[in-house]
Structure formats: structure tokens, C-alpha cells
Amino acid sequence: MASSTGLSLKFSPLSTSFKQNKVRGICNVNSVSLPSRGMRLGSLRLRVSCAAKPETVDKVCSIVRKQLALPKDSPVTGESKFSALGADSLDTVEIVMGLEEEFGISVEEESAQHILTVQDAADLIEKLVEQKSA
Amino acid sequence: MPPQKIEIFKSLEDWAENNILTYLKPVEKCWQPHDFLPDPTSDGFYDRVKELRERAKEIPDDYFVVLVGDMITEEALPTYQTMLNTLDGVQDETGASLTPWAIWTRAWTAEENRHGDLLNKYLYLSGRVDMRQIEKTIQYLIGSGMDPRTENNPYLGFIYTSFQERATFISHGNTARLAKEHGDNNLAQICGNIASDEKRHETAYTKIVEKLFEIDPDATVQTFADMMRKKISMPAHLMYDGRDDNLFDNFSAVAQRLGVYTAKDYADILEFLVNKWKVTEINGLSAEGRKAQDYVCGLAPRIRKLEERAQGRAKQAPKVPFSWIFDRQVQL
């Protein structure tokens, strides 16, 4: 039977979206006015990554909705986790591909691993777009 | 699996006897490893061995890495017979049970057994590979077993084996073709005969699943989708040689590069099965069944697109040593 050589067809490790520990980088302090995640004023602990523009978050939401064929009334926000929305590893790779096309960016596998929520994706997109135009 | 599902396989025993056992070849008609190797009882034995080794010298290391990986996979046969006997409703209860399912499993195992034996003897005589490392790898692999996530469910099990037999048919066919290109017609015949066994086995397993689609389409399409979501994991994916923690990945990368077994093949096999089982044409499915049908029917193009993207971004891969060839290095 089974003698094949073989690829287990490894998709990009976005299936690690089940990982609980999120690694958040500290974004450019300069570009942050008021992070949408409720950073305490005066606190030096920049716990939160750069908040992406709402338009970016919206675009990500719509790409995610399309990929997962979610009904119009199902809630998709920045907080939404891909895995909770029903995305499997193939979906998440395709979502990243869709984001790459939409925003004209290229997402490295290592960065893609840390994308767990819509917000993560939007933040990474803005970072990459900024880097591109820099 | 619920008792009524297990009952299905009992009720299919006569059908299996008449439709599946016919794909077994009578032992008297089967080729044996002896037929493709130098005959130790003949006067020309030493010359034949010398010729075999001379032909083998012309075959590059990367080919041998793939052939060895295939041979190791074949030699882990005890694992596969075990796996078949985990499937509810089709087990060989005593080791000599006379149900058609049990007869199939033993006879299939017996046919497959020749594959590992033949490749083992060829590689031993070739002088191109480190047999001790290979033997160690086999011992590790049989010790590790495998879990294809078929969960004692023969629906999952036979879908898995259908996929696998076709995969081995394709990859042995490719090693046969490449052997010919490297000027070794005897090795090409060896691989080609193994490939034609695999093709016959593929036909048998796909016929079982075709019957399941006929009598229980909703459950069968859902298990097809389930198996594909879990992804078809390769039987030797736990392979280890005592040195390389990434042995299977490295071996797969070489197999991919040589075109012996690729991600494209994976998508092609899926598409072949979808067509063979006429999955697009099934009607009267439940909502869950339709979801599964959509998933399975749409999956191959998605995989292809993903693979195109991966190829487009492929960075130059490193060369790595393989203990199977005395730590000589091969391009991934």
C-alpha cells in the first residue's frame, strides 16, 4: 500500500492560530495617538500593538467574510479570532493570500504565524504597507 | 462507529467476496523478488551482481534518497496490516478469519510484502547506500507506527487507503521512469512492477468506497470531507534514523524536487477520486452532506493555487546530509 514518498502538504503554520500566547511587538511610539485597545494614559507598558485604521480593519473583515462565506449578520470585528470564525489552516492561508493581493504586500511565514485575530491581520498589514512606502 | 454502520460491512461480505477478492492475484501467478535479482544459484551470479552495481553507480544520490525512503515505507508493512485491522467491521478477528475482509487484508499484506523484500535486496546489492542506517530507520519506524486518524472507521480507512495506493502507484511509476532515464532498465522494471501492484490495489479500494457511496452517500461524502480536512498524512511521516529530526521533511523535499511525489500529485489524486466517485453528481444529501460535497469538490483547485504561490516564493533550498548515503549531501 502505502509506500509513497510524500508530502504531508504543509500549509503555512497559521493553524497555530490555536496557540494562546500572542507575541505582540511594540510599534512605533510616534505613530500612536490613542490605541484603540485602551492603553492607560501615562503607562509606559505598551502592551498593545499599533492600532490599524478602522478602514483597514473593515477591509480585513470583508475579506474574511468572503473567504469563510459568513452570513451578513454574523459578527466579525477586530477582536474576532480566525479559528473561532471557523477558519481551518487552508482558510487562513487563503485569507493571508487575499490580504496580500488586496494591499499589495507580501507576508512572511514567520509574521503570518502570529495572526490570530482580525486586528492582528490589520495591524500587520499597516506595518507592511508603511514599510513598503518607507 | 454505531452498530448499524458496522452491520453494513457484514452485509457487504458476499459482495466483497465477488467484487474485491477478484483483484488479488493468485500466488502462482505473482512475480517474486527472485525474478528481478541476480540468481545466487546460477553461474553468472557474480557477473549479474557486478552489472547491477555498475548500473547503480550511474544513478545519482538524490534518486537513492527517494528510493530508500520508499523502501523504508514499504518495509513498515506490519504497521499497515495493523491499521487495517483497527477498522471496525472488517477486522481479521483471529488472524486466520475467513471473512472476505480478513482474506483481503492478509492477501494484500502478502502481496505488499514482496515490495519491501525486493527493494531491500536491490539496495543491499547496489553498494550505494548505508544498509545499517536504513535498517535502523525501519526498526524505528515500525516501532513508531502511524496514526492516519481513521479512528477505527472503515469509511475513513478505505478512503485513506484509496488515496495512498494511488499515491504509491504514482511515485513508484516515477521512480521507474527515472531509473530508465539513468540507464537502469532492471531497476525500472522493479519499480514498474511494484507500481502495477499498487494500481491494482487502488482499483480495489476505490471500488469499496464506490460501493459505500452507492449505499450510504451522505455518510461517505461527509467522511471524505473529514479525511481531507485532516489531510492525508504519509505513512512514514514518523521516520527517524537516529540522527535527523527532520528526516521525513527532508526526504519529502527531495521527492518533491525530483518530481517523484509532489504537492501537485496530491491535488491530482484528490481530483481523480472526486471524479472516480462522481462526487459532484450525488443528490439527496443532507445539509451537512452538501457542505461536505462542496468542500471536497472545491478543494483540489485551492490546493493547486496554494502550491503555485509556494513555488513562486520558494527560496533556494539547502543541501543536507542523509545518513542513508553515508552523510553525503543532497539538494532539497
Side-chain angles (χ1 to χ4, degrees):
Chain A
M1 156 169 96
S3 75
S4 81
T5 65
L7 284 207
S8 52
L9 197 62
K10 279 157 57 170
F11 297 123
S12 146
L14 280 180
S15 52
T16 58
S17 58
F18 295 100
K19 275 214 206 112
Q20 286 313 302
N21 50 317
K22 306 177 188 189
V23 175
R24 291 203 177 273
I26 295 178
C27 62
N28 286 333
V29 180
N30 302 334
S31 60
V32 173
S33 50
L34 264 179
S36 63
R37 292 291 201 89
M39 181 182 90
R40 270 182 269 292
L41 278 172
S43 162
L44 288 176
R45 229 172 26 108
L46 288 172
R47 193 195 114 241
V48 157
S49 59
C50 279
K53 297 196 283 289
E55 305 93 74
T56 309
V57 175
D58 284 345
K59 264 196 191 161
V60 175
C61 286
S62 82
I63 286 171
V64 169
R65 275 184 189 287
K66 193 165 146 218
Q67 172 69 29
L68 304 178
L70 298 174
K72 280 218 152 74
D73 53 0
S74 72
V76 182
T77 65
E79 311 271 293
S80 303
K81 277 192 181 165
F82 289 121
S83 54
L85 293 171
D88 66 15
S89 58
L90 185 47
D91 290 314
T92 33
V93 176
E94 288 171 332
I95 288 169
V96 170
M97 277 168 67
L99 297 176
E100 288 181 327
E101 276 174 37
E102 175 72 23
F103 293 96
I105 51 175
S106 179
V107 180
E108 291 300 309
E109 287 227 0
E110 308 83 61
S111 321
Q113 287 202 50
H114 301 311
I115 299 178
L116 304 177
T117 64
V118 169
Q119 188 71 45
D120 291 341
D123 295 347
L124 178 62
I125 287 163
E126 295 226 333
K127 189 172 107 179
L128 291 173
V129 165
E130 197 186 299
Q131 280 175 4
K132 215 177 74 159
S133 53
Chain B
M1 247 196 353
Q4 66 266 30
K5 294 284 188 203
I6 298 181
E7 216 13 70
I8 287 178
F9 291 91
K10 190 113 186 69
S11 70
L12 283 177
E13 280 178 9
D14 283 346
W15 174 86
E17 183 161 352
N18 295 317
N19 290 278
I20 300 302
L21 296 187
T22 48
Y23 288 105
L24 296 171
K25 234 183 190 168
V27 178
E28 296 299 326
K29 295 220 168 88
C30 282
W31 59 264
Q32 298 297 342
H34 172 274
D35 306 336
F36 300 102
L37 294 164
D39 177 357
T41 62
S42 89
D43 286 337
F45 175 66
Y46 293 108
D47 287 333
R48 299 289 90 74
V49 172
K50 191 154 172 266
E51 284 156 24
L52 187 157
R53 290 159 72 84
E54 255 146 40
R55 290 191 302 267
K57 269 204 201 121
E58 301 301 309
I59 301 175
D61 280 344
D62 51 15
Y63 177 93
F64 271 105
V65 163
V66 176
L67 191 66
V68 166
D70 285 356
M71 172 264 199
I72 288 167
T73 309
E74 293 285 353
E75 288 280 65
L77 183 61
T79 302
Y80 316 137
Q81 186 175 16
T82 299
M83 175 264 180
L84 287 170
N85 282 325
T86 64
L87 304 176
D88 292 335
V90 300
Q91 285 119 334
D92 182 346
E93 303 273 343
T94 64
S97 159
L98 293 176
T99 70
W101 300 115
I103 291 172
W104 165 268
T105 295
R106 288 194 307 272
W108 171 88
T109 302
E111 289 191 13
E112 289 284 342
N113 187 51
R114 297 167 304 146
H115 302 173
D117 284 356
L118 176 52
L119 291 171
N120 193 323
K121 285 176 182 147
Y122 169 81
L123 288 172
Y124 168 72
L125 289 173
S126 73
R128 293 278 283 116
V129 296
D130 186 346
M131 284 311 292
R132 193 176 204 286
Q133 276 301 116
I134 293 169
E135 288 156 0
K136 227 200 314 174
T137 309
I138 294 168
Q139 187 174 357
Y140 272 122
L141 186 57
I142 297 175
S144 300
M146 87 165 162
D147 179 11
R149 298 170 70 190
T150 45
E151 287 159 22
N152 308 113
N153 181 336
Y155 288 74
L156 285 171
F158 291 133
I159 287 170
Y160 179 84
T161 55
S162 296
F163 194 105
Q164 279 303 348
E165 291 289 7
R166 186 163 181 83
T168 63
F169 159 65
I170 286 169
S171 63
H172 287 303
N174 285 324
T175 50
R177 174 179 51 83
L178 289 172
K180 196 157 196 184
E181 284 173 21
H182 292 305
D184 193 335
N185 287 334
N186 169 249
L187 181 57
Q189 256 193 313
I190 285 172
C191 296
N193 276 298
I194 295 174
S196 67
D197 277 359
E198 309 291 17
K199 181 67 183 161
R200 196 162 35 82
H201 297 161
E202 173 208 304
T203 308
Y205 285 120
T206 54
K207 194 145 196 208
I208 297 173
V209 179
E210 184 183 75
K211 188 70 177 169
L212 293 175
F213 269 113
E214 185 197 314
I215 61 180
D216 194 359
D218 210 276
T220 310
V221 76
Q222 289 190 48
T223 48
F224 192 8
D226 183 36
M227 195 72 249
M228 295 319 299
R229 278 190 206 280
K230 286 167 170 164
K231 299 187 197 85
I232 303 285
S233 63
M234 285 300 143
H237 73 275
L238 296 175
M239 64 161 63
Y240 180 58
D241 61 353
R243 298 192 199 160
D244 184 355
D245 286 333
N246 298 310
L247 183 56
F248 180 75
D249 287 349
N250 292 337
F251 153 65
S252 301
V254 182
Q256 164 94 17
R257 182 172 62 78
L258 293 189
V260 169
Y261 183 71
T262 65
K264 183 179 171 299
D265 288 319
Y266 186 100
D268 289 347
I269 295 169
L270 170 57
E271 192 174 66
F272 173 85
L273 293 175
V274 167
N275 290 334
K276 178 100 187 176
W277 294 327
K278 302 192 168 66
V279 182
T280 52
E281 295 170 25
I282 307 176
N283 287 315
L285 292 172
S286 67
E288 281 304 308
R290 281 196 303 278
K291 258 169 68 180
Q293 182 184 39
D294 287 341
Y295 176 77
V296 149
C297 294
L299 186 56
R302 291 169 76 189
I303 293 174
R304 288 198 181 103
K305 194 157 172 222
L306 215 67
E307 178 54 18
E308 271 173 40
R309 172 184 187 255
Q311 289 297 331
R313 305 177 138 213
K315 305 185 179 102
Q316 173 69 346
K319 276 190 170 188
V320 305
F322 280 88
S323 72
W324 302 334
I325 48 171
F326 303 99
D327 290 333
R328 292 194 296 267
Q329 301 205 338
V330 157
Q331 178 80 53
L332 293 187

